[in-house]
Amino acid sequence: MPRDVVVLLRDVWKTYHTKWGVVHALKGVDLVIHRGEIVGIHGPSGAGKTTLLKIIAGLEKPDRGDVIVEGYNVCMLDENALAMLRNSVVGFIPQDYGLIEELTVIENVELPLLLAGMDRNERRKRVMELLEYIGLADKAKQKVKYLSGGEKQRVAIARALSNTPSVLLADEPTANLDWENARKVLELFQRISRDFDTTILVVSHDPRVMEYVHRRYELRDGKLYPVLS
Ligand SMILES: Nc1ncnc2c1ncn2[C@@H]1O[C@H](COP(=O)(O)OP(=O)(O)OP(=O)(O)O)[C@@H](O)[C@H]1O
Ligand SMILES: [Mg+2]
């Protein structure tokens, strides 16, 4: 049976114009990711990894090329449709977690559900299920600012999962963690992919992360190169 294509990028280019000059971040990126795959993109700082994730999430527009996510042509969507894409099709986990430190774990994880208009009881039920799943139910009422880095990363994952997205995009999910916590996060991705058939794209400069993915690429000079293992 042919596998479902969830993310498709064709000849994607992105250039930034700054007062210091022109930066060619992506120079013709092609990428196909199927349902349930965990794909890793490894590359040095400045290679364009975050740019690539933001383009897939509809947070940045490419200069050229096609970006198709779950059948949506991301470059053609208006602001409303992009908001829908970000809130229900794609779960973006930024490198700095993007959590609100003064709010509790529950309040952070339920934010996307609130935006989606889910009522309070249903929201709380869903959030507690997610916190059980990531092993942080005991921290539900804790303010995020009191959590460890590893715990924050897992809360950010729970929040990204709240609306059952088909694609998770993780930007350097282990960058601020010791290896023990990094391994826990990577094993959590493997569990999510198995349990929910979620497609996961992980970008990282850490080669150890690439041991936990199904398929990997190297991002160099704005281009993706498959790495055969
Ligand atoms: N908004 C922006 N304006 C101008 N230049 C940018 C912008 N965003 C990224 N760049 C430049 O594009 C290039 C790629 O940046 P990007 O953040 O995608 O790299 P990265 O691989 O994620 O790096 P890191 O590993 O350090 O996070 C860099 O040279 C960066 O300076
Ligand atoms: Mg980055």
Side-chain angles (χ1 to χ4, degrees):
M1 204 169 73
R3 287 185 303 163
D4 235 358
V5 171
V6 179
V7 176
L8 188 147
L9 270 63
R10 197 161 39 210
D11 198 26
V12 168
W13 291 69
K14 179 73 183 178
T15 301
Y16 291 109
H17 299 270
T18 71
K19 56 182 174 184
W20 299 281
V22 171
V23 179
H24 299 288
L26 302 176
K27 297 193 281 190
V29 166
D30 294 305
L31 178 64
V32 176
I33 309 180
H34 297 96
R35 187 161 323 280
E37 274 192 304
I38 308 178
V39 170
I41 295 181
H42 179 248
S45 184
K49 303 183 298 295
T50 299
T51 303
L52 185 62
L53 290 189
K54 285 187 172 167
I55 284 176
I56 296 171
L59 294 165
E60 292 262 12
K61 282 216 178 307
D63 303 325
R64 218 170 92 191
D66 296 319
V67 181
I68 317 281
V69 179
E70 277 290 7
Y72 295 101
N73 187 338
V74 176
C75 307
M76 307 289 275
L77 299 179
D78 62 19
E79 274 310 314
N80 284 337
L82 278 176
M84 179 282 298
L85 182 92
R86 287 185 215 121
N87 202 38
S88 60
V89 177
V90 172
F92 183 58
I93 310 163
Q95 180 172 352
D96 63 1
Y97 315 124
L99 299 169
I100 303 171
E101 298 264 321
E102 286 298 328
L103 295 184
T104 64
V105 168
I106 294 185
E107 288 162 346
N108 269 277
V109 176
E110 77 175 349
L111 269 180
L113 302 174
L114 199 70
L115 287 174
M118 189 183 278
D119 76 48
R120 190 174 187 281
N121 287 342
E122 215 184 326
R123 247 171 24 225
R124 291 285 156 124
K125 184 165 165 276
R126 170 82 183 131
V127 171
M128 286 316 294
E129 276 168 13
L130 283 162
L131 295 181
E132 294 281 349
Y133 185 77
I134 60 160
L136 278 181
D138 58 328
K139 298 280 166 87
K141 295 196 172 141
Q142 183 83 272
K143 279 191 182 177
V144 160
K145 67 178 176 185
Y146 299 122
L147 301 183
S148 72
E151 289 166 345
K152 285 183 187 176
Q153 181 61 253
R154 274 145 65 210
V155 172
I157 294 170
R159 189 191 46 187
L161 278 179
S162 63
N163 277 322
T164 53
S166 40
V167 192
L168 272 188
L169 304 172
D171 196 353
E172 299 279 1
T174 63
N176 306 313
L177 309 181
D178 58 43
W179 182 241
E180 184 54 28
N181 278 299
R183 202 175 45 74
K184 271 195 202 163
V185 164
L186 294 165
E187 286 170 358
L188 177 59
F189 285 145
Q190 292 180 327
R191 190 149 61 90
I192 291 167
S193 140
R194 271 198 310 271
D195 291 348
F196 311 117
D197 220 9
T198 309
T199 304
I200 305 178
L201 179 57
V202 184
V203 307
S204 178
H205 64 268
D206 185 345
R208 291 180 298 184
V209 170
M210 299 301 137
E211 305 293 318
Y212 289 77
V213 304
H214 301 141
R215 226 157 36 82
R216 61 200 216 224
Y217 292 86
E218 190 75 30
L219 184 59
R220 233 181 311 121
D221 299 327
K223 286 195 173 156
L224 272 185
Y225 299 90
V227 178
L228 303 174
S229 46

